[in-house]
């Protein structure tokens, strides 16, 4: 009996502690804290380990008012994300964190002095900052954020993001030996191409590079020669004045696994084969398509949008390994029959009339129904494509309008596909009657043996 009573008492205490822990955790979670229980002298003490759910440094400092016990714990937080000069100065002065893991500075021209920016980055470098971001609010051509020279003395950064920053000089001794992720967004290189080469050559283990260019970045040929690079994202900032300009890229990154190119102005002067490439998203002008497509032969996930459909690629060899393909029907509707014939491993096909993104001439936002879409007549392949017989499982058609050519293409795919499990049509409609009329029309023309699930989603 005594043993049973002791066991029940122990169980009741455990339930009380669990209830207390659950209630207090819910209360504290509202503030964004990560809490863990720690039994000290028979009571639960909630140790404030990390401000994991609080993004803004001002909120982190504000939590010191919640409890006397937490009054100084914010000083151990290894992250600083702020835009106020006073807050940054106070945080860096009072912080006792041995390592500053994250420093995100988002500044406008009136919130700091240039020497302050230099000092902040120097402190971060001394504390072995791992994630460093320098960003200027608002886009102004005449006012860029000067890049601190102390940035190039950092020994431990793994992530570096520069946005609207002006780089005047890079020491010849710079060596960012730990850097794995680099973002250059609207960065101005005052001395031109040489600074780009010096910066990228100082990153021996770089894995991810993001480049967003603008018309006054000071670079003619953006050379990317990084053997370790695995992910490359190239974008063009659409300038507010609409100016077009000519510039070029040289890409030598044979280890690439992911490639994203959204740039209708730049040329590719030189490219190398990318035998490890798995995923690519390409939105470029037609003139560069042949040169770039020849490097995509190993890609399994491919998204294509060209700004001109005057000609089709001479070779579709780049589709031989593709399993997921997204085509912009405003640019590449002529290709569909050829694509089906030359992609024997295709499993997922997505047709989208909204895939053009930044290219306004492809997708006039003011006239959705007047977009180019499919040609007047659907040209059936001369023989049933291999992917329809052996691999195609899913089709999504975004912006399906129900024209005769589109109906013929959809019915051909439904009728000839042996393993198709689902076709989803996204269409802009005004009433349910139109939706069911579309479904009935397609189903009535499907073969009796088809087991594909046909879905209709209104836009």
């Amino acid at each position: 009996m005594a043993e049973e009573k002791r066991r029940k008492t122990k169980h009741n205490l455990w339930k009380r502690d669990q209830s207390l822990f659950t209630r207090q955790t819910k209360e504290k979670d509202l503030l964004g804290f990560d809490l863990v229980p720690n039994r000290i002298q028979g009571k639960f003490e909630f140790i404030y380990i990390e401000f994991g759910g609080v993004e803004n440094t001002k909120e982190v400092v504000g939590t010191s008012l919640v409890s006397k016990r937490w009054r100084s714990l914010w000083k151990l937080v290894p992250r600083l994300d702020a835009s106020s000069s006073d807050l940054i100065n106070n945080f860096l002065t009072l912080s006792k964190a041995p390592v500053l893991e994250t420093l995100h500075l988002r500044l406008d021209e009136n919130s700091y002095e240039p020497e302050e920016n230099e000092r902040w980055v120097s402190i971060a470098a001394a504390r072995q900052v791992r994630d460093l971001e320098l960003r200027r609010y608002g886009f102004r051509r005449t006012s860029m954020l000067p890049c601190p020279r102390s940035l190039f003395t950092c020994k431990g950064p793994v992530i570096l993001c520069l946005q609207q920053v002006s780089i005047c000089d890079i020491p010849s001794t710079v060596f960012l030996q730990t850097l794995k992720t680099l973002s250059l967004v609207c960065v101005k290189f005052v001395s031109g191409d040489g600074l780009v080469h010096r910066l990228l050559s100082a990153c021996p283990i770089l894995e991810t590079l993001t480049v967003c260019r603008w018309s006054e970045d000071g670079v003619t040929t953006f050379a990317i020669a990084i053997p370790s690079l695995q992910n490359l994202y190239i974008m063009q900032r659409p300038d507010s004045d609409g100016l077009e300009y000519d510039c070029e890229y040289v890409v030598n990154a044979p280890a690439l696994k992911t490639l994203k190119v959204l740039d209708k102005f730049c040329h590719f002067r030189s490219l190398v084969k990318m035998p490890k490439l798995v995923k690519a998203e390409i939105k470029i002008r037609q003139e560069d398509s042949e040169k770039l497509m020849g490097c995509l032969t190993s890609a399994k996930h491919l998204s294509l949008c060209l700004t001109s459909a005057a000609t089709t690629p001479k070779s579709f060899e780049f589709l031989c390994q593709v399993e997921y393909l997204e085509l912009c029907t405003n640019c590449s509707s002529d290709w569909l029959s050829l694509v089906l014939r030359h992609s024997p491993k295709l499993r997922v096909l997505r047709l989208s009339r909204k895939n053009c993104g930044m290219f306004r001439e492809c997708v006039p936002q003011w006239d959705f129904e007047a977009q180019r879409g499919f040609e007047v007549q659907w040209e059936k392949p001369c023989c049933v494509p291999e992917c329809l017989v052996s691999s195609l499982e899913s089709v999504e058609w975004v912006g399906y309008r129900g024209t005769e050519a589109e109906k013929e293409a959809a019915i051909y795919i439904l009728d000839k596909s042996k393993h198709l499990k689902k076709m989803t049509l996204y269409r802009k409609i005004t009433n349910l009657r139109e939706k069911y009329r579309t479904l009935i029309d397609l189903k009535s023309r499907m073969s009796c043996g088809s087991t594909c699930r046909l879905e209709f989603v209104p836009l």
Side-chain angles (χ1 to χ4, degrees):
M1 291 294 295
E3 181 65 26
E4 180 67 18
K5 186 176 181 180
R6 188 161 45 248
R7 186 184 64 79
K8 288 184 178 181
T9 303
K10 185 176 180 181
H11 179 71
N12 290 336
L13 288 174
W14 178 84
K15 288 182 64 177
R16 186 197 64 184
D17 289 342
Q18 285 293 102
S19 176
L20 176 65
F21 172 68
T22 302
R23 177 169 54 82
Q24 293 194 15
T25 298
K26 287 181 179 179
E27 293 174 357
K28 304 302 186 295
D29 278 348
L30 295 176
L31 299 173
F33 301 155
D34 289 334
L35 303 168
V36 296
N38 182 28
R39 184 177 294 279
I40 300 176
Q41 297 180 357
K43 296 181 180 180
F44 270 101
E45 298 287 344
F46 289 88
I47 311 293
Y48 183 15
I49 294 189
E50 182 183 2
F51 294 84
V54 182
E55 296 291 338
N56 192 289
T57 299
K58 185 180 292 187
E59 296 177 7
V60 172
V61 176
T63 58
S64 63
L65 302 176
V66 174
S67 168
K68 292 181 179 180
R69 187 177 304 160
W70 296 348
R71 186 162 296 171
S72 61
L73 286 179
W74 69 268
K75 299 177 183 179
L76 299 176
V77 175
R79 298 198 296 273
L80 171 59
D81 186 341
S83 57
S84 167
S85 176
D86 291 338
L87 178 59
I88 297 170
N89 281 323
N90 291 334
F91 187 97
L92 291 177
T93 301
L94 299 175
S95 175
K96 298 179 181 179
V99 176
L100 188 62
E101 294 181 359
T102 302
L103 176 64
H104 290 179
L105 302 181
R106 299 178 174 89
L107 308 169
D108 60 42
E109 58 185 343
N110 299 318
S111 65
Y112 73 101
E113 296 295 334
E115 57 272 13
E116 284 186 313
N117 189 26
E118 183 75 44
R119 184 171 61 85
W120 296 334
V121 176
S122 296
I123 295 174
R127 295 191 182 181
Q128 303 175 13
V129 64
R130 298 177 61 81
D131 181 354
L132 177 60
E133 177 182 312
L134 300 179
R135 178 184 298 183
R136 190 196 178 285
Y137 275 128
F139 185 79
R140 295 183 183 178
R141 299 172 183 271
T142 57
S143 179
M144 305 290 286
L145 183 66
C147 183
R149 287 185 60 86
S150 54
L151 172 68
F152 304 110
T153 64
C154 295
K155 299 299 182 181
V158 177
I159 301 173
L160 175 61
C161 177
L162 303 178
Q163 181 169 334
Q164 298 182 39
V165 171
S166 176
I167 300 179
C168 296
D169 187 29
I170 298 177
S172 57
T173 57
V174 62
F175 186 53
L176 303 173
Q177 58 186 353
T178 58
L179 193 65
K180 292 186 176 182
T181 301
L182 174 63
S183 297
L184 303 173
V185 180
C186 298
V187 174
K188 183 173 184 178
F189 295 88
V190 176
S191 301
D193 301 4
L195 286 181
V196 175
H197 173 73
R198 187 176 297 176
L199 176 59
L200 297 184
S201 61
C203 309
I205 64 170
L206 193 66
E207 296 179 356
T208 301
L209 174 63
T210 300
V211 179
C212 182
R213 301 187 63 179
W214 63 302
S215 58
E216 297 184 16
D217 61 9
V219 181
T220 303
T221 301
F222 205 106
I224 302 171
I226 308 174
S228 61
L229 197 64
Q230 299 181 19
N231 308 292
L232 176 60
Y233 308 103
I234 295 175
M235 290 165 281
Q236 173 68 47
R237 181 189 182 277
D239 292 299
S240 56
D241 53 15
L243 292 176
E244 295 190 12
Y245 62 100
D246 286 328
C247 51
E248 58 186 11
Y249 288 97
V250 172
V251 179
N252 184 357
L256 274 186
K257 296 180 180 179
T258 303
L259 174 65
K260 185 174 183 178
V261 181
L262 313 179
D263 196 327
K264 65 176 180 177
F265 296 144
C266 294
H267 297 278
F268 286 88
R269 191 180 77 185
S270 176
L271 289 162
V272 299
K273 293 289 184 179
M274 306 169 189
K276 299 181 180 180
L277 192 68
V278 175
K279 184 176 182 179
E281 181 177 355
I282 311 297
K283 299 181 183 181
I284 57 175
R285 53 185 176 185
Q286 181 73 34
E287 292 79 2
D288 273 347
S289 65
E290 289 292 337
K291 188 178 295 185
L292 186 56
M293 298 306 177
C295 299
L296 306 179
T297 54
S298 66
K300 294 183 178 182
H301 188 294
L302 190 58
S303 178
L304 294 177
C305 171
L306 305 183
T307 60
S308 170
T311 59
T312 56
K314 296 178 181 178
S315 172
F316 282 83
E317 181 186 358
F318 64 93
L319 294 172
C320 61
Q321 300 294 328
V322 171
E323 297 179 4
Y324 176 101
L325 177 64
E326 181 174 6
L327 276 182
C328 173
T329 56
N330 287 281
C331 306
S332 315
S333 62
D334 309 343
W335 295 13
L336 183 56
S337 178
L338 294 170
V339 163
L340 294 175
R341 286 164 48 192
H342 292 86
S343 50
K345 299 181 180 181
L346 186 63
R347 293 191 302 106
V348 179
L349 174 63
R350 178 180 171 88
L351 304 173
S352 174
R353 299 173 63 226
K354 294 184 177 182
N355 191 36
C356 295
M358 62 183 284
F359 301 127
R360 300 298 182 185
E361 67 272 20
C362 286
V363 185
Q365 300 296 323
W366 48 268
D367 192 358
F368 182 86
E369 291 300 327
Q371 294 176 21
R372 180 174 176 270
F374 258 59
E375 296 298 330
V376 176
Q377 185 175 1
W378 154 251
E379 183 180 350
K380 295 182 181 180
C382 56
C383 58
V384 179
E386 182 180 346
C387 66
L388 299 187
V389 177
S390 61
S391 61
L392 189 64
E393 298 178 356
S394 175
V395 176
E396 291 185 16
W397 197 324
V398 181
Y400 178 85
R401 292 181 298 175
T403 64
E404 194 60 31
E406 290 178 339
K407 287 180 185 177
E408 290 181 7
I411 290 170
Y412 180 85
I413 295 173
L414 285 167
D415 188 37
K416 301 299 182 181
S417 299
K418 302 300 182 183
H419 300 277
L420 190 63
K421 299 177 182 178
K422 184 178 179 181
M423 176 181 282
T424 306
L425 304 177
Y426 298 82
R427 183 182 179 184
K428 184 179 180 181
I429 61 172
T430 55
N431 55 63
L432 289 177
R433 181 177 298 177
E434 185 178 356
K435 168 183 175 179
Y436 290 116
R437 186 184 298 120
T438 301
L439 288 174
I440 293 172
D441 188 21
L442 287 177
K443 282 187 173 294
S444 66
R445 299 173 63 176
M446 290 171 56
S447 64
C448 298
S450 177
T451 58
C452 174
R453 179 182 176 186
L454 185 60
E455 289 190 356
F456 189 94
V457 180
L459 291 174

